Amino acid sequence: QVQLVESGGGVVQAGGSLILSCSASGRTLNVYAMGWFFHAPGMEREFVAHMNYSGGNTYYADSVKCRFTISRDNAKNTVYLQMNSLKPEDTAVYYCAAMRNQSVSAVRAVQAVEYDYWGQGTQVTVSS
C-alpha cells in the first residue's frame, strides 16, 4: 500500500495563499491518479481537485476553480495543491488520495469512494 502524508497546512488570513504537499512512500505516484479532498466540521468529505497519472487532465470543484491548482512532481514523488485567494469557508482538513486507475472521467474523479489510498490530512485555517 502506498503511504501518503500531507503537509503545509496552517493558519492564514483571508486572501492569502498556502501550498499543500502530499509525499508518498512505498510506490511512485506517477502510476496513480491523484485527488485532494477537504473535510470541514459537521460536513461530509468533499472533492477539491484531481489530476490523472500523467498530469494531462485535471478537474476542480466549482468552489475552488481559478483559485486552486493541483500539480505533481514525479521526481520528488509529491503532489501539490496551490491555494490562492483563500476564504474562511476553505477552512478544513485537507486530504490527498490516490486511485489505482490512472485516468477516470470527471464523474468518478470527484467521488471519494473511487480512491484507494488516503493520507491523514493537514489542517488549513483561514481567518477573517
Side-chain angles (χ1 to χ4, degrees):
Q1 178 179 340
V2 62
Q3 302 290 327
L4 305 175
V5 179
E6 302 93 337
S7 62
V11 180
V12 64
Q13 291 185 326
S17 299
L18 285 173
I19 301 177
L20 305 184
S21 298
C22 176
S23 61
S25 61
R27 289 290 306 274
T28 56
L29 292 181
N30 63 354
V31 299
Y32 298 107
M34 299 294 298
W36 285 95
F37 289 75
F38 78 133
H39 190 187
M43 302 181 67
E44 296 181 0
R45 187 173 300 186
E46 296 187 0
F47 171 76
V48 176
H50 172 93
M51 173 175 283
N52 75 342
Y53 78 104
S54 69
N57 292 305
T58 58
Y59 303 109
Y60 295 94
D62 289 341
S63 62
V64 306
K65 191 174 183 179
C66 300
R67 296 192 299 122
F68 293 5
T69 303
I70 186 172
S71 63
R72 65 197 308 158
D73 186 335
N74 290 333
K76 297 181 179 180
N77 212 27
T78 301
V79 175
Y80 303 96
L81 184 68
Q82 174 68 57
M83 309 166 67
N84 297 324
S85 301
L86 283 162
K87 305 174 181 179
E89 53 263 42
D90 296 322
T91 296
V93 177
Y94 283 75
Y95 297 87
C96 67
M99 64 168 63
R100 292 168 181 164
N101 288 318
Q102 295 181 328
S103 184
V104 297
S105 63
V107 67
R108 295 181 62 188
V110 303
Q111 297 178 353
V113 296
E114 293 289 341
Y115 294 80
D116 301 291
Y117 308 105
W118 293 83
Q120 297 188 82
T122 185
Q123 176 71 48
V124 172
T125 301
V126 183
S127 63
S128 59

